[in-house]
């Protein structure tokens, strides 16, 4: 491994946010999933949760959309809602869904510096009522156009970059001592992966 490659791996791991995650519920299109993966990697989200209760598990992601982001993420797959959210509750203080409801708040009102899981629903129906019952609240992305929703991968990117903005201002990306154990374990894993590939 070249010194440049090693420096790149260390730099990326240094900025990983182990207390920010994305959950995708029954997202059909592998290209949407791959685009979400790419956004997660871009802002330092390490863990991604894929919940499939109505569709078979995806066998492959759209490699063109993800630009190989999948290999750098820790991806958990679930087929049971209760199991998925019990796992999330062990690590994340808040769970927010993207759901249009009377009590929904603007994305820009959320505190995304706390340990938080952000849930995005499928292309046709959004987040299910069952999943909403597990959430601490719903949010929406303010829009002023005729169309009232964004593509799931675009909505996720907008949301993650708001989290990035808040966390950058809070200094989270500059704190090398955050999540030292997780970063050390991830570095060992990535170095092993890099040697094999």
């Amino acid at each position: 491994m070249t010194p440049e490659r090693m420096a790149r791996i260390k730099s990326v791991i240094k900025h990983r946010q182990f207390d920010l995650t994305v959950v995708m519920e029954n997202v059909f299109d592998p290209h949407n999933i791959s685009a979400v993966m790419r956004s997660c990697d871009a802002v330092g989200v390490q863990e991604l949760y894929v919940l499939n209760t109505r569709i078979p598990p995806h066998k492959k992601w759209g490699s063109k959309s993800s630009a190989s982001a999948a290999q750098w993420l820790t991806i958990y797959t679930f087929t049971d809602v209760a199991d998925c959210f019990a796992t999330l509750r062990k690590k994340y203080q808040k769970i927010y869904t993207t759901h249009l409801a009377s009590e929904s708040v603007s994305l820009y009102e959320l505190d995304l510096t706390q340990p938080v899981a952000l849930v995005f629903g499928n292309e046709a129906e959004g987040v299910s009522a069952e999943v909403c019952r597990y959430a601490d609240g719903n949010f929406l992305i303010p829009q002023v156009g005729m169309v009232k929703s964004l593509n799931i991968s675009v909505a996720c990117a907008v949301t993650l970059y708001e989290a990035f903005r808040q966390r950058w201002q809070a200094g989270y990306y500059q704190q090398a001592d955050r999540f030292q154990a997780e970063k050390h374990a991830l570095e060992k894993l990535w170095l092993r992966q890099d040697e094999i590939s």
Side-chain angles (χ1 to χ4, degrees), residues 134-146:
Y134 287 88
D136 297 300
N138 305 310
F139 72 94
L140 51 81
I141 298 169
Q143 298 172 59
V144 294
M146 291 293 288

Side-chain angles (χ1 to χ4, degrees), residues 80-93:
D80 182 83
V81 174
D83 287 347
C84 180
F85 283 86
T87 301
L88 289 168
R89 283 291 176 197
K90 292 175 186 174
K91 189 164 187 180
Y92 301 96
Q93 290 177 5

Side-chain angles (χ1 to χ4, degrees), residues 146-162:
M146 291 293 288
V147 179
K148 293 186 177 179
S149 65
L150 296 170
N151 172 279
I152 185 259
S153 64
V154 174
C156 183
V158 169
T159 303
L160 286 178
Y161 270 92
E162 172 59 14

